[in-house]
Amino acid sequence: MNNIKEILEYNRVFVENKEYEAYRTGRFPNKKMVIITCMDTRLTELLPKAMNLRNGDVKIIKNAGAIISQPFGSVMRSVLVALYELGADEVVIVGHYECGMAALDADHMINEMLERGISQEVLNTLEHSGIKLNKWLKGFDNIEEGVRSTVKLIKNHPLLPPNTPVHGMVIHPGTGELTLIVDGNQQ
């Protein structure tokens, strides 16, 4: 059975048995917090358990590396929506050790794009349009510095509500141990 069929069959039984009732909650985060974390599969269940979070406690935004690289991109917009429209009043960046973004090789990824059917013409057009793929696809050298950089970007954002705590943490993807990198209450 393929993944989509398996998901839909499981979902049919899930809904039929009313298993969703255990997850009912409101749309506003109980702990008034928004978390930006990595999309790494090891964190899917580990991160909420390690932070004692239940369904409905926080807004979680996931992307590659838990990094905000565009101050007016969709991730930052989501943070602002959580703060202004959904009742969050605190931001936490949670990076993780052994992150794939630390090892991201832009040249390798561009070669993979070419091998999987993206034409050199498309890449040239992007380059001539001012999009520097090598810069856009760059990861980070150090997870703690990556977290600090994102905390700084958010903290210095002109639309961030004044006095909003912005914290930075790193989680170990094997044990769930959290290390506080930036205490937003001390800023």
Side-chain angles (χ1 to χ4, degrees):
M1 184 181 281
N2 71 35
N3 288 332
I4 296 300
K5 285 183 181 178
E6 185 178 314
I7 288 169
L8 291 172
E9 178 56 28
Y10 178 88
N11 180 257
R12 185 187 63 72
V13 174
F14 179 85
V15 172
E16 190 176 278
N17 293 336
K18 298 184 179 186
E19 293 176 47
Y20 54 82
E21 290 178 353
Y23 303 99
R24 283 205 169 143
T25 187
R27 66 185 195 125
F28 299 101
N30 298 326
K31 293 191 177 186
K32 299 182 180 286
M33 186 179 287
V34 58
I35 294 174
I36 297 108
T37 192
C38 188
M39 64 185 190
D40 190 296
T41 55
R42 296 172 291 179
L43 304 182
T44 301
E45 291 186 48
L46 179 65
L47 180 96
K49 296 288 187 206
M51 295 181 80
N52 191 31
L53 301 174
R54 295 176 22 142
N55 197 46
D57 280 349
V58 299
K59 296 294 182 184
I60 297 180
I61 302 166
K62 293 185 169 206
N63 71 357
I67 298 294
I68 297 179
S69 56
Q70 301 295 323
F72 290 94
S74 63
V75 176
M76 190 63 209
R77 179 180 57 226
S78 296
V79 169
L80 294 172
V81 167
L83 292 169
Y84 284 106
E85 297 292 324
L86 300 174
D89 58 17
E90 199 166 2
V91 181
V92 182
I93 309 306
V94 184
H96 68 93
Y97 296 109
E98 303 169 13
C99 184
M101 285 298 287
L104 187 63
D105 179 343
D107 290 330
H108 178 265
M109 192 163 170
I110 291 167
N111 285 333
E112 286 291 317
M113 289 175 185
L114 290 166
E115 286 183 24
R116 292 182 67 177
I118 304 300
S119 71
Q120 185 63 55
E121 181 181 5
V122 166
L123 297 179
N124 291 343
T125 299
L126 292 172
E127 185 73 25
H128 295 306
S129 299
I131 298 170
K132 307 296 182 203
L133 286 178
N134 279 329
K135 183 177 179 186
W136 186 63
L137 295 172
K138 185 178 183 324
F140 45 77
D141 296 326
N142 176 294
I143 186 60
E144 288 92 355
E145 286 307 312
V147 168
R148 281 187 189 92
S149 175
T150 294
V151 166
K152 182 179 177 184
L153 183 144
I154 294 171
K155 196 63 186 166
N156 292 318
H157 199 282
L159 300 177
L160 185 78
N163 304 315
T164 301
V166 182
H167 312 281
M169 297 182 178
V170 179
I171 188 170
H172 188 284
T175 67
E177 180 181 8
L178 291 164
T179 302
L180 184 64
I181 303 298
V182 178
D183 183 345
N185 295 316
Q186 303 297 319
Q187 295 176 330

